[in-house]
Amino acid sequence: MGNSEQENTCKAKHAKPLGFRMLERIRGAPLSFKSYQATVLVLTFFAYASYHATRKTTSIVKSVLDPNKTSAGVTHWSNSLYLKIAGQKPGSKNGWAPFDTADGTAMLGDIDVAFLSIYALGMYFAGHLGDRVDLRNLLTIGMVGTGVFTAFFGAAYWLNIHSFYYFLCIQMIAGLFQSTGWPSVVAVVGNWFGKSKRGLIMGIWNAHTSIGNITGSLVAAALLRYGWGWSFVAPGAIIAVIGLVVFFFLPVSPDTVGVKETDDSESEEKNGLSEPLLERGESSEEKAVGFIQAWKIPGVAPFALCLFFSKLVAYTFLYWLPFYISHTAIDGEYLSDSTAGTLSTLFDVGGVVGGILAGHISDRIEARAVTAATFMYCAIPALFCYRSYGGISLNWNIALMFITGMLVNGPYALITTAVSADLGTHSSLNGNSRALATVTAIIDGTGSVGAAVGPLLTGYISSSSWSAVFTMLMGAALIAGLLLSRLVMAEISAKIEARKKGLASELPISAMVEP
């Protein structure tokens, strides 16, 4: 027993990130459990924010690569900080071959779908791999690789590259590296944080998606004046640097760094952090859950399909909103490319609020499906109003964009975080702790297929009618809500039954959904 304990301590010491080993050597004492938790929360937040920052740049640069516009870029906010126009006015640019032709918009859509298709496919493999290898190494490789190929896309500006296939291949490889991100960060957070107030905690933590989009938009828009290549190189360098920080400082789980969860147990209990996401089984050796077995977990399929349509809507805005704003008259005038990119960040600000709100509401009513479905149904009139009345004035556009972002991103954030964690700890797994990355990858990977379809269809449909694009988005939101109908009914029935019995219902998703 003594030898076994010593062996485990040596393994933990070896697995501990180099940065922590150096810190503890300087301090002369090991760090506390809470210090590790804080590090995990901060590092995973910035890691995934940087993924989204690199993902967002393409949408900002689109209107520079394909500048076809009937009017020159004009801004309403002449006295605002946000209104520094990058470079020349859109109406005076020739664009960048091969995207400056009549088929330019469709070609940009093809690049988006290629990126997202590889991303979605890679997600399934990354999740499967994430439950079998060191997540820190997987995340580091993914982040550095993403940074390198994002920079390669921008390098075409200086190398004077105009081959469509160059851009296509670069984005496909970048998509493969990007697929390592989500399963890894969710699994790491899942190893360190407990079940109490999971929806709210993960709703706040999931703000990294919107923060990354906002940061990517602002950085890309600000650098356009120096040449669109910088709008890719700068975010690429940022994610590569953060990837190296992750390698040196990210502790994957308490076991790997030799920290006991009983440290500061009193304060952890008060904060609801002492109960791990995954209850450990008696067996010391756990087999990773298979792909088919994970699909069979009750609730995984409907939430995965719901996320397909939810991400279809969210990613259409992610990739096309700046382009839509710069090509749509607001109060009779057109905004510049940089101003449109800056203005589009308000959609993501709404997304931050929506994610936190959805998580908090789902915790309070203890009904994830009801919350997600309600948000999706409410997104339908919001989308209609934004298309119909967003051009009245800048103030109307801002208000409606914020509300739309809140309602569209709320369920997307809830499903990819709290719901994935709930399902990854389903009772049918018998306490197996090596399923969270796989379940997360299945749900988000399926959603990412929808994320690929939305921008692709938009690239073709928008050339004839933006109203048709919004009709498509409203239809997708409706289907997303309907796909949760069975789970919604199960949750409502459980609530009614519990109320009848006079019991305080604390049923998780896993208890409400029958196979």
Side-chain angles (χ1 to χ4, degrees), residues 121-433:
L121 186 62
M123 182 83 72
Y124 294 119
F125 290 102
H128 193 65
L129 193 61
D131 284 326
R132 290 161 173 78
V133 301
D134 189 326
L135 288 167
R136 180 166 56 94
N137 294 335
L138 182 63
L139 196 54
T140 300
I141 292 169
M143 294 178 74
V144 173
T146 296
V148 168
F149 282 92
T150 299
F152 279 173
F153 193 101
Y157 176 76
W158 295 283
L159 298 175
N160 202 29
I161 296 173
H162 297 278
S163 168
F164 169 73
Y165 294 102
Y166 172 84
F167 295 108
L168 185 69
C169 290
I170 290 296
Q171 282 294 79
M172 289 171 74
I173 299 171
L176 187 62
F177 280 109
Q178 285 251 0
S179 67
T180 61
W182 190 241
S184 300
V185 295
V186 172
V188 171
V189 171
N191 288 333
W192 285 94
F193 288 86
K195 293 180 179 179
S196 179
K197 296 183 180 178
R198 178 182 292 164
L200 178 60
I201 290 171
M202 285 196 154
I204 295 170
W205 175 73
N206 195 64
H208 51 48
T209 299
S210 296
I211 296 298
N213 290 341
I214 292 168
T215 303
S217 297
L218 295 177
V219 170
L223 294 176
L224 277 177
R225 71 182 63 201
Y226 305 108
W228 63 262
W230 289 109
S231 297
F232 287 92
V233 171
I238 291 169
I239 191 173
V241 169
I242 295 175
L244 294 176
V245 174
V246 163
F247 178 76
F248 286 109
F249 289 98
L250 183 67
V252 172
S253 69
D255 295 339
T256 59
V257 292
V259 178
K260 291 184 180 179
E261 296 179 50
T262 51
D263 290 354
D264 302 321
S265 57
E266 282 183 21
S267 58
E268 285 163 26
E269 257 179 49
K270 286 177 186 174
N271 290 298
L273 298 176
S274 59
E275 184 183 6
L277 279 174
L278 298 165
E279 294 176 3
R280 306 285 177 187
E282 288 182 9
S283 171
S284 59
E285 285 189 17
E286 294 174 340
K287 292 182 180 179
V289 171
F291 184 75
I292 302 300
Q293 185 186 350
W295 263 108
K296 290 179 179 177
I297 296 172
V300 167
F303 271 112
L305 293 173
C306 172
L307 192 62
F308 174 97
F309 291 97
S310 178
K311 284 191 81 167
L312 185 154
V313 179
Y315 269 63
T316 296
F317 274 91
L318 174 70
Y319 279 95
W320 287 99
L321 183 56
F323 187 89
Y324 170 73
I325 292 172
S326 66
H327 287 69
T328 304
I330 299 177
D331 196 16
E333 296 180 339
Y334 290 87
L335 301 183
S336 69
D337 295 332
S338 60
T339 304
T342 303
L343 183 63
S344 70
T345 61
L346 293 170
F347 179 85
D348 296 298
V349 174
V352 173
V353 176
I356 295 171
L357 195 60
H360 178 61
I361 291 172
S362 71
D363 280 340
R364 289 294 298 272
I365 66 174
E366 296 176 349
R368 309 284 197 217
V370 170
T371 305
T374 301
F375 268 71
M376 290 313 305
Y377 290 137
C378 290
I380 297 170
L383 288 164
F384 175 80
C385 290
Y386 181 63
R387 172 57 183 164
S388 302
Y389 306 110
I392 292 176
S393 69
L394 197 60
N395 291 333
W396 271 96
N397 195 287
I398 289 171
L400 293 171
M401 189 192 308
F402 180 88
I403 293 169
T404 304
M406 184 176 69
L407 295 170
V408 166
N409 286 337
Y412 161 36
L414 180 66
I415 294 170
T416 53
T417 54
V419 169
S420 294
D422 287 347
L423 295 172
T425 61
H426 193 269
S427 57
S428 66
L429 296 171
N430 297 319
N432 192 340
S433 65

Side-chain angles (χ1 to χ4, degrees), residues 366 495 498 503-509 511-512:
E366 296 176 349
K495 292 290 180 186
L503 299 172
S505 175
E506 292 184 6
L507 297 174
I509 283 180
M512 294 181 201

